Amino acid sequence: MGHPNKDVAMRGYTAFEAGDMATLGEVMSDDIVWHFPGSSKLAGTYTGKDEVFRLFGAIGQETEGSFSNDIHDMLANDDHVVALVRSTATRQGKSLEGVGVHVMHVTDGKLTEFWNFPEDQTTVDDFWA
């Protein structure tokens, strides 16, 4: 068994991939803050589960459910989880394939803040344009 915060984050990734919003709701704090970087129409800071779920819905709709994260590795301590990820998706004839780093703040067993740092932000912005 890994660090409990790693288990929380992995449970969130598994639920996201399965479209299991109930489990995602369990691993997120009510006032979670989600940072989607860049300059695309999805870029911004989303506060609270409702806003984050709307973002997830937009990602799913825009990619017709093709968006996926493959976890390469994950590190955790008592406050944070860092995941090394490979993200893929297709959208309007375009493909996205890139690596990045996700940083999560965890408090009392709940994800409270999420930052996404893609390796190539320009490619990500172009994909979502």
Side-chain angles (χ1 to χ4, degrees), residues 37-114:
S39 60
S40 73
K41 65 183 178 181
L42 296 181
T45 298
Y46 299 82
T47 303
K49 288 181 188 178
D50 288 343
E51 286 189 13
V52 172
F53 286 154
R54 279 194 290 278
L55 169 65
F56 291 171
I59 290 169
Q61 183 175 5
E62 290 284 330
T63 66
E64 297 179 344
S66 69
F67 187 89
S68 181
N69 287 308
D70 179 38
I71 309 303
H72 174 71
D73 200 0
M74 198 178 292
L75 311 162
N77 66 23
D78 291 341
D79 296 315
H80 295 95
V81 177
V82 176
L84 309 176
V85 299
R86 180 179 165 271
S87 300
T88 58
T90 56
R91 177 180 175 268
Q92 299 177 355
K94 298 185 271 187
S95 293
L96 174 68
E97 183 175 338
V99 296
V101 176
H102 295 168
V103 177
M104 293 154 269
H105 188 85
V106 182
T107 304
D108 297 327
K110 302 274 186 179
L111 301 176
T112 58
E113 196 155 6
F114 180 97

Side-chain angles (χ1 to χ4, degrees), residues 1-29:
M1 178 185 279
H3 192 283
N5 287 342
K6 181 179 177 181
D7 296 341
V8 167
M10 199 58 191
R11 192 169 167 227
Y13 281 109
T14 300
F16 180 86
E17 292 297 319
D20 180 356
M21 296 299 119
T23 299
L24 275 170
E26 292 173 10
V27 300
M28 288 187 219
S29 68

